[in-house]
Amino acid sequence: MKNTEKYSRSYFMPPVKSMKWMEKEYSTKAPLWCSVDLRDGNQALVVPLTLEEKLVYFQLLVKIGFKEIEVGFPAASETEYAFLRTLIEQDLIPDDVTIQVLTQSRDHIIEKTFECLKGVNKAVVHLYNSTSLAQREQVFKKSKEEIIDIAVTGAKLLQKYASETEGNFIFQYSPESFTGTELDFALDICNRVLDVWQPTADNQVIINLPATVSLSMPHVYASQIEFMSDHLNYRENVILSIHPHNDRGTGVADAELAMLAGGQRIEGTLFGNGERTGNVDIVTLALNMFTHGVDPQLDLENIPEIMATYERLTKMKVHERHPYAGKLVYTAFSGSHQDAITKGFKWREEKENENWKVPYLVIDPKDIGREYEGDIIRINSQSGKGGIGYLLEQQYSLDLPPKMRESFGYNVKNVSDQLNKELLPHEIYDIFINGYVNLKTPIEFIDYQFTKHDDFQTVLTIRINGDVQEISGVGNGRLDAISNALQTELGISYSDLVYKEHAQEIGSKSNAVSYIGITDINGTVYWGCGIDADIMNSSVKALFSAANNMLTYIQLPIQINSSLTIQ
């Protein structure tokens, strides 16, 4: 690409080595979650939420289990102000939920914020001002000391108005654009704010370090967080919060590594909505923890319902490949993937294993409200026998022999390839029924009679080209006798008969299902299936279906050696 010379590193490394986080494997407990959907997420919508929609969204977040919810910037607009007052006056905030509001470090804005908070049970007041080198030089044109003065002044104003306002308040400070701020300066400004607030064990405060713009690889952000965690004043009384954005597509990785580095609290949104490429996705973060056996302390057991409410209110769409939630993430088109997943399910059933280790599936879809049928296996020209066989077995109780699965799989893939489309389960079922089950052309089975002496003798009633005829055969069993009748009387030649049967239960009725494969003189195997309430009838129909497939394929003329046409 051109113009690479115009870009250079715009972040700052810690002045001392800060890499203890590398010694940890994963986070062993959930962070404090703070949803910023109703503020950071809402301001990024093409059409921001109405007051009524905000109330519905707030209830969704409470239902999921968020204990901290940023509800807006009440001094910014009448809608934001009215929403907060509605929550307070109508007593809509559960006792165990703390709301959070945002304010700039400006006297009249802080005053209006506290005015709006009157009567709240408990609230986090989130103070911020931008500290990055780029913002200081280009936007504010202020020195470091002038920027510190903005933060310190705001910190004192929070104390002043909190003491004059009914309610319980927790203070939070964010050096906005932290990732573009020199680390020694970021530490200095945070400590100056902490010196104003002087947190205690009974009156903790929050320092939030946002990747307002993601500027580095995740390990750099982790080192920045570790440096701050190690050097903040009053550290034992400070809740260290992180707020990653996703400009580089690494928001989740930034958050996970930052937690290893000392982050105790995470601000983010459902499905990552937010300015530009979005905030960190809390759904993904929480379910990543879940896959490591860590309870994320959020109820995500019905992702389809959560996603439907989110899409309806925000008018945003969750991508089909979105981690965990996307419509296609539990779907396999690849044949090798389908085969491995199918075998993984069977292994799990046989072993009754408690640990989830199904190939290609990092999570059990049922744990988040998804279903296997129609989700896990979908069929196109890239699919394989495993997935196609799995669909027939799960949805139609048809358990094909392995070699028949392979043969049928090629037929299905060819159809999909020719039509250039995905095949739905009912279409695959139709292909199987029309191509293998109870076939009547060119030979139709009508009836049979048996007599038993030293062996079995049969008289078969069949229809060929519209004529009803009888043929006879002898064998060591009923099916063997019928098979010999077909071969000796009709001149059909095959060997290596493969047989499988099982019950098929659909609804309140149960049928017998038989599968038969026969091999011609060239080694080609032809398959047939018979379905009937009677097991013997299903076996005979399977044999006739296999023979009909062979006759149709090789266009063998049928010669009746001795027969009686029934008038």
Side-chain angles (χ1 to χ4, degrees):
M1 294 179 64
K2 297 179 181 179
N3 301 324
T4 55
E5 67 279 357
K6 70 191 284 187
Y7 299 98
S8 62
R9 190 183 78 176
S10 54
Y11 58 88
F12 300 89
M13 293 297 293
V16 297
K17 184 177 181 181
S18 302
M19 302 188 73
K20 295 190 297 295
W21 59 267
M22 291 184 62
E23 300 171 3
K24 302 175 184 178
E25 184 178 353
Y26 62 92
S27 298
T28 56
K29 69 174 185 177
L32 301 171
W33 301 107
C34 179
S35 161
V36 296
D37 290 81
L38 295 174
R39 199 274 304 171
D40 211 345
N42 183 54
Q43 75 180 26
L45 298 176
V46 176
V47 180
L49 301 174
T50 64
L51 189 148
E52 291 75 17
E53 289 172 333
K54 275 196 160 193
L55 289 172
V56 174
Y57 207 122
F58 180 81
Q59 291 164 353
L60 171 66
L61 296 171
V62 170
K63 182 178 179 181
I64 291 171
F66 284 98
K67 301 306 179 187
E68 295 185 20
I69 301 172
E70 189 167 78
V71 296
F73 196 149
S77 73
E78 287 305 312
T79 299
E80 301 275 281
Y81 192 97
F83 174 58
L84 177 53
R85 291 311 306 163
T86 300
L87 290 176
I88 296 171
E89 292 169 6
Q90 296 187 17
D91 196 22
L92 298 176
I93 307 168
D95 291 341
D96 62 345
V97 172
T98 300
I99 62 165
Q100 177 170 303
V101 294
L102 187 70
T103 179
Q104 294 173 333
S105 183
R106 301 169 69 182
D107 193 343
H108 72 284
I109 292 178
I110 294 173
E111 180 182 16
K112 188 169 183 179
T113 299
F114 277 94
E115 174 189 292
C116 191
L117 283 168
K118 286 179 181 178
V120 72
N121 179 43
K122 191 176 183 181
V124 174
V125 183
H126 181 185
L127 172 75
Y128 78 96
N129 68 306
S130 191
T131 60
S132 71
L133 176 62
Q135 293 266 24
R136 297 196 317 264
E137 289 182 341
Q138 300 172 36
V139 180
F140 301 110
K141 303 186 187 304
K142 292 182 181 293
S143 68
K144 289 181 179 180
E145 197 57 41
E146 288 174 309
I147 296 296
I148 289 175
D149 184 62
I150 293 172
V152 168
T153 299
K156 291 177 180 178
L157 287 170
L158 257 61
Q159 286 182 316
K160 172 182 180 296
Y161 287 108
S163 67
E164 300 170 354
T165 306
E166 177 191 355
N168 299 295
F169 305 105
I170 301 168
F171 298 152
Q172 173 174 325
Y173 174 68
S174 289
E176 190 198 6
S177 301
F178 163 75
T179 45
T181 304
E182 306 92 315
L183 268 291
D184 55 352
F185 178 56
L187 179 64
D188 188 18
I189 195 169
C190 287
N191 279 337
R192 295 279 288 274
V193 169
L194 289 172
D195 286 340
V196 173
W197 289 339
Q198 297 187 18
T200 65
D202 296 327
N203 188 29
Q204 294 186 329
V205 301
I206 302 167
I207 291 295
N208 184 59
L209 303 175
T212 310
V213 180
S214 178
L215 299 175
S216 68
M217 294 177 68
H219 73 285
V220 172
Y221 185 54
S223 294
Q224 293 170 334
I225 298 299
E226 183 176 299
F227 171 77
M228 295 291 289
S229 178
D230 286 347
H231 295 89
L232 283 172
N233 294 342
Y234 313 93
R235 180 64 184 91
E236 67 277 9
N237 300 319
V238 172
I239 299 169
L240 186 57
S241 177
I242 58 176
H243 181 117
H245 278 247
N246 198 43
D247 301 87
R248 290 170 50 89
T250 59
V252 168
D254 288 341
E256 290 183 322
L257 296 189
M259 280 193 285
L260 299 181
Q264 299 160 285
R265 179 179 183 268
I266 290 179
E267 295 185 347
T269 60
L270 298 180
F271 310 112
N273 180 40
E275 294 280 17
R276 306 180 309 280
T277 57
N279 290 62
V280 69
D281 174 10
I282 287 182
V283 172
T284 299
L285 272 174
L287 291 176
N288 280 357
M289 300 190 77
F290 183 69
T291 64
H292 284 166
V294 177
D295 184 354
Q297 301 293 311
L298 294 175
D299 183 358
L300 300 173
E301 294 181 4
N302 195 338
I303 284 292
E305 180 183 304
I306 294 170
M307 188 165 67
T309 304
Y310 166 85
E311 291 185 335
R312 175 170 57 85
L313 294 174
T314 65
K315 313 301 187 294
M316 303 282 285
K317 293 296 181 183
V318 176
H319 194 276
E320 288 87 348
R321 297 294 182 187
H322 193 101
Y324 301 109
K327 292 180 180 179
L328 294 179
V329 296
Y330 305 109
T331 299
F333 290 102
S334 163
S336 61
H337 288 209
Q338 292 171 344
D339 184 60
I341 291 170
T342 303
K343 289 174 179 175
F345 286 151
K346 287 186 175 294
W347 183 88
R348 185 170 170 79
E349 291 171 3
E350 294 168 359
K351 301 291 185 180
E352 296 183 355
N353 194 284
E354 294 183 359
N355 294 321
W356 180 260
K357 295 180 181 178
V358 174
Y360 296 110
L361 294 178
V362 70
I363 194 174
D364 184 346
K366 289 186 176 179
D367 286 336
I368 57 172
R370 298 288 290 269
E371 293 294 332
Y372 296 138
E373 293 78 7
D375 268 357
I376 295 293
I377 307 294
R378 288 172 62 174
I379 306 303
N380 61 18
S381 61
Q382 306 302 307
S383 303
K385 62 182 184 297
I388 294 167
Y390 179 83
L391 270 182
L392 288 180
E393 183 177 357
Q394 292 296 308
Q395 299 203 24
Y396 300 103
S397 298
L398 295 170
D399 185 13
L400 281 59
K403 290 295 183 182
M404 187 180 188
R405 285 190 179 200
E406 182 175 353
S407 176
F408 177 59
Y410 284 121
N411 287 344
V412 171
K413 289 166 66 174
N414 286 338
V415 172
S416 176
D417 195 29
Q418 292 170 11
L419 297 177
N420 193 30
K421 68 184 288 285
E422 175 190 355
L423 296 177
L424 300 177
H426 73 86
E427 294 174 311
I428 296 165
Y429 177 73
D430 288 344
I431 294 171
F432 183 73
I433 293 296
N434 294 331
Y436 296 87
V437 179
N438 299 351
L439 302 183
K440 299 178 180 180
T441 304
I443 310 169
E444 179 183 357
F445 161 70
I446 297 177
D447 199 5
Y448 53 71
Q449 293 180 343
F450 289 105
T451 57
K452 175 70 167 68
H453 297 292
D454 293 333
D455 46 23
F456 285 88
Q457 299 177 2
T458 185
V459 175
L460 275 176
T461 304
I462 61 175
R463 180 180 286 112
I464 301 176
N465 299 324
D467 295 328
V468 177
Q469 303 174 6
E470 289 184 344
I471 59 176
S472 60
V474 179
N476 56 21
R478 289 182 173 86
L479 191 60
D480 185 52
I482 292 174
S483 177
N484 289 337
L486 290 177
Q487 294 192 75
T488 58
E489 298 287 339
L490 300 184
I492 303 172
S493 179
Y494 57 80
S495 61
D496 299 330
L497 189 146
V498 177
Y499 179 78
K500 177 182 178 179
E501 66 183 42
H502 65 78
Q504 180 193 35
E505 296 183 2
I506 299 179
S508 60
K509 65 179 182 178
S510 178
N511 283 323
V513 183
S514 300
Y515 309 93
I516 286 180
I518 56 178
T519 305
D520 69 11
I521 57 174
N522 297 314
T524 303
V525 181
Y526 300 89
W527 292 95
C529 174
I531 300 178
D532 196 276
D534 179 82
I535 184 62
M536 188 65 211
N537 284 349
S538 76
S539 301
V540 174
K541 290 178 179 180
L543 178 59
F544 270 72
S545 296
N548 281 329
N549 272 334
M550 184 177 75
L551 291 168
T552 301
Y553 183 79
I554 63 178
Q555 298 183 336
L556 183 71
I558 304 171
Q559 298 178 349
I560 303 177
N561 296 329
S562 60
S563 64
L564 173 65
T565 300
I566 300 176
Q567 302 297 326

